[in-house]
Amino acid sequence: ALRKTGRAGEAAALLGSFLDGHPGNAEVMAELGLALRANGEEDKAMETFRKSVLIDPRLFPAHTGLADLLRKHGDNAGAISHK
């Protein structure tokens, strides 16, 4: 909810704190990636999406978020592999 109300930085901090205690939660990790991206932290967002996909290869939001950022940074082949 914070991310969607323009408070992406706060959302990222809360999600990061949650993940400190639950490092294997791929869904929360994907949400963190979205918050980081919304906060302009694209490199951290890509790293977070990649970790999320490794934990749960079926997690669509992580694949989509990663694909969008890869495409934005000119890696079309990488983006296609996550669509």
Side-chain angles (χ1 to χ4, degrees):
L2 289 172
R3 176 178 57 84
K4 294 179 181 178
T5 61
R7 297 166 58 191
E10 289 178 62
L14 287 171
L15 293 164
S17 292
F18 178 84
L19 284 171
D20 287 342
H22 305 87
N25 191 317
E27 290 180 21
V28 172
M29 197 172 293
E31 187 63 34
L32 174 58
L34 293 171
L36 289 167
R37 183 172 126 188
N39 201 43
E41 300 177 69
E42 292 184 348
D43 290 339
K44 288 182 182 179
M46 280 197 286
E47 178 183 335
T48 303
F49 287 135
R50 283 189 174 107
K51 288 179 184 177
S52 181
V53 166
L54 287 173
I55 294 168
D56 185 353
R58 300 167 293 151
L59 195 58
F60 182 75
H63 280 285
T64 302
L66 182 54
D68 290 344
L69 286 172
L70 289 170
R71 186 178 313 99
K72 181 177 178 181
H73 291 271
D75 184 356
N76 291 325
I80 289 170
S81 73
H82 288 281
K83 278 292 184 181

